[in-house]
Amino acid sequence: MRRWLDTPAIRGPVIGVGAFAIGYLIVLAITIVGEQATLVAQNNPQAAGWLYYNAQLANVVTIGGNGGWTTAFTGQEFNLLTQILWNQPVPTGQLIEQSSFLSGVVPPATYHCVPIVILFAAGFLFVRRGNVETTWGAVAASGSIAMGTTLAASVGTLLLTVQVDGLVIRPDPLEGILMAGLFFPMAISVLGCLAATRT
């Protein structure tokens, strides 16, 4: 079993799943300590997951509604983390306020840094352990890691779903898989992979 797990084709995706999970758990820990009396605090662990997807440039969406008060929140698509970080104006029709979502105690850049650091380290360690020495080998290694993060991000879009009176709030399934699962992890882990081949 150990020899099977040590093959690069298996080890990369396993590291990808592990990196995604570790990044999420770190964001969850930060929100438990730093967020109080906010939507994030009230909806942990799901809202911590929304932040984790937001940090990787994937939006959170709202769908459904039962015809009551929740209907006003139907059809929202937001990344409040990025809005706050870049001081962007609230889009027309967005009813979820920035101050009710995040307290501001933890700088938004902190949340963005978590997946960057974790994915860079995952790429670096994977290449170091696998003795990859070429640029193309490093690129292939990052692709292998992204296979695991794509799987984890796919499952996460289901597990991080909240339903309130018919209103469903969750990471956007397509953006979650493409951004948090594939593009963001490949873009960052390849930097760690390349750094490992040059040191």
Side-chain angles (χ1 to χ4, degrees), residues 116-134:
I116 290 172
V117 170
I118 295 296
L119 289 167
F120 184 92
F124 188 90
L125 295 174
F126 178 52
V127 166
R128 270 300 171 86
R129 178 140 189 232
N131 296 319
V132 176
E133 298 178 355
T134 67

Side-chain angles (χ1 to χ4, degrees), residues 37-62:
T38 63
L39 289 174
V40 170
Q42 294 165 18
N43 291 289
N44 266 330
Q46 290 89 353
W50 304 340
L51 278 176
Y52 190 54
Y53 278 80
N54 280 176
Q56 298 176 84
L57 310 179
N59 286 325
V60 172
V61 295
T62 61

Side-chain angles (χ1 to χ4, degrees), residues 64-175:
N66 62 359
W69 68 271
T70 58
T71 304
F73 291 91
T74 298
Q76 303 280 307
E77 181 177 84
F78 57 89
N79 185 337
L80 291 175
L81 185 59
T82 300
Q83 287 176 22
I84 295 168
L85 180 64
W86 298 108
N87 198 25
Q88 297 174 340
V90 177
T92 304
Q94 179 177 297
L95 300 178
I96 299 174
E97 297 179 4
Q98 296 173 351
S99 59
S100 65
F101 188 72
L102 286 174
S103 66
V105 172
V106 178
T110 303
Y111 294 110
H112 281 290
C113 286
V114 171
I116 290 172
V117 170
I118 295 296
L119 289 167
F120 184 92
F124 188 90
L125 295 174
F126 178 52
V127 166
R128 270 300 171 86
R129 178 140 189 232
N131 296 319
V132 176
E133 298 178 355
T134 67
T135 300
W136 286 114
V139 171
S142 68
S144 179
I145 292 169
M147 288 174 61
T149 55
T150 300
L151 175 62
S154 302
V155 173
T157 59
L158 300 175
L159 296 180
L160 300 172
T161 298
V162 171
Q163 189 166 348
V164 182
D165 291 339
L167 181 71
V168 176
I169 310 167
R170 66 180 183 188
D172 182 287
L174 183 58
E175 285 188 10

